[in-house]
Short mmCIF file of all heavy atoms in Angstrom, two decimals:
data_model
loop_
_atom_site.label_atom_id
_atom_site.label_comp_id
_atom_site.label_asym_id
_atom_site.label_seq_id
_atom_site.Cartn_x
_atom_site.Cartn_y
_atom_site.Cartn_z
N LYS A 186 112.69 -53.99 -29.73
CA LYS A 186 111.26 -53.76 -29.48
C LYS A 186 111.03 -53.39 -28.02
O LYS A 186 110.26 -52.47 -27.72
CB LYS A 186 110.46 -55.03 -29.79
CG LYS A 186 110.22 -55.22 -31.26
CD LYS A 186 109.32 -56.43 -31.45
CE LYS A 186 109.31 -56.85 -32.89
NZ LYS A 186 108.59 -58.11 -33.08
N GLN A 187 111.68 -54.11 -27.14
CA GLN A 187 111.53 -53.82 -25.71
C GLN A 187 111.97 -52.39 -25.40
O GLN A 187 111.36 -51.70 -24.59
CB GLN A 187 112.36 -54.80 -24.86
CG GLN A 187 111.85 -56.22 -24.90
CD GLN A 187 110.38 -56.33 -24.55
OE1 GLN A 187 109.89 -55.63 -23.65
NE2 GLN A 187 109.65 -57.17 -25.26
N PHE A 188 113.04 -51.98 -26.08
CA PHE A 188 113.56 -50.63 -25.86
C PHE A 188 112.53 -49.58 -26.29
O PHE A 188 112.27 -48.60 -25.59
CB PHE A 188 114.87 -50.47 -26.65
CG PHE A 188 115.42 -49.08 -26.58
CD1 PHE A 188 115.98 -48.61 -25.41
CD2 PHE A 188 115.36 -48.26 -27.69
CE1 PHE A 188 116.48 -47.32 -25.34
CE2 PHE A 188 115.86 -46.97 -27.64
CZ PHE A 188 116.43 -46.50 -26.45
N ILE A 189 111.94 -49.79 -27.43
CA ILE A 189 110.93 -48.83 -27.93
C ILE A 189 109.75 -48.76 -26.97
O ILE A 189 109.27 -47.67 -26.64
CB ILE A 189 110.46 -49.24 -29.34
CG1 ILE A 189 111.61 -49.07 -30.33
CG2 ILE A 189 109.26 -48.41 -29.79
CD1 ILE A 189 111.40 -49.78 -31.64
N LEU A 190 109.32 -49.91 -26.51
CA LEU A 190 108.20 -49.92 -25.57
C LEU A 190 108.57 -49.19 -24.28
O LEU A 190 107.76 -48.45 -23.71
CB LEU A 190 107.76 -51.36 -25.27
CG LEU A 190 107.14 -52.08 -26.47
CD1 LEU A 190 106.90 -53.54 -26.16
CD2 LEU A 190 105.83 -51.41 -26.90
N ALA A 191 109.81 -49.35 -23.84
CA ALA A 191 110.26 -48.66 -22.63
C ALA A 191 110.28 -47.15 -22.85
O ALA A 191 109.88 -46.38 -21.97
CB ALA A 191 111.65 -49.16 -22.23
N ALA A 192 110.72 -46.74 -24.03
CA ALA A 192 110.78 -45.30 -24.34
C ALA A 192 109.38 -44.71 -24.40
O ALA A 192 109.15 -43.55 -24.03
CB ALA A 192 111.52 -45.08 -25.65
N GLN A 193 108.46 -45.51 -24.87
CA GLN A 193 107.06 -45.06 -24.89
C GLN A 193 106.53 -44.95 -23.46
O GLN A 193 105.80 -44.02 -23.12
CB GLN A 193 106.24 -46.08 -25.68
CG GLN A 193 104.84 -45.59 -26.00
CD GLN A 193 104.05 -46.64 -26.75
OE1 GLN A 193 104.50 -47.76 -26.95
NE2 GLN A 193 102.87 -46.28 -27.19
N GLN A 194 106.98 -45.89 -22.64
CA GLN A 194 106.58 -45.88 -21.24
C GLN A 194 107.15 -44.64 -20.53
O GLN A 194 106.49 -44.07 -19.66
CB GLN A 194 107.10 -47.15 -20.58
CG GLN A 194 106.26 -47.61 -19.43
CD GLN A 194 107.05 -48.57 -18.55
OE1 GLN A 194 108.10 -49.09 -18.94
NE2 GLN A 194 106.54 -48.78 -17.36
N ALA A 195 108.34 -44.22 -20.90
CA ALA A 195 108.96 -43.03 -20.30
C ALA A 195 108.05 -41.84 -20.49
O ALA A 195 107.88 -41.00 -19.61
CB ALA A 195 110.33 -42.78 -20.92
N LYS A 196 107.44 -41.76 -21.67
CA LYS A 196 106.52 -40.68 -21.97
C LYS A 196 105.33 -40.71 -21.01
O LYS A 196 104.96 -39.69 -20.43
CB LYS A 196 106.02 -40.84 -23.42
CG LYS A 196 105.10 -39.76 -23.88
CD LYS A 196 105.92 -38.69 -24.53
CE LYS A 196 105.10 -37.53 -25.01
NZ LYS A 196 105.97 -36.45 -25.45
N ILE A 197 104.79 -41.89 -20.87
CA ILE A 197 103.62 -42.04 -20.01
C ILE A 197 103.96 -41.67 -18.57
O ILE A 197 103.24 -40.93 -17.91
CB ILE A 197 103.08 -43.49 -20.09
CG1 ILE A 197 102.58 -43.76 -21.52
CG2 ILE A 197 101.95 -43.72 -19.10
CD1 ILE A 197 102.45 -45.22 -21.88
N ILE A 198 105.11 -42.16 -18.11
CA ILE A 198 105.51 -41.87 -16.73
C ILE A 198 105.78 -40.38 -16.54
O ILE A 198 105.42 -39.79 -15.53
CB ILE A 198 106.73 -42.73 -16.33
CG1 ILE A 198 106.29 -44.19 -16.18
CG2 ILE A 198 107.36 -42.24 -15.04
CD1 ILE A 198 107.41 -45.16 -16.01
N ALA A 199 106.41 -39.76 -17.56
CA ALA A 199 106.72 -38.33 -17.47
C ALA A 199 105.44 -37.51 -17.33
O ALA A 199 105.43 -36.47 -16.69
CB ALA A 199 107.51 -37.90 -18.69
#
Side-chain angles (χ1 to χ4, degrees):
K186 281 185 193 173
Q187 292 307 321
F188 175 72
I189 293 164
L190 292 173
Q193 191 181 6
Q194 208 199 345
K196 182 91 181 172
I197 295 161
I198 289 171

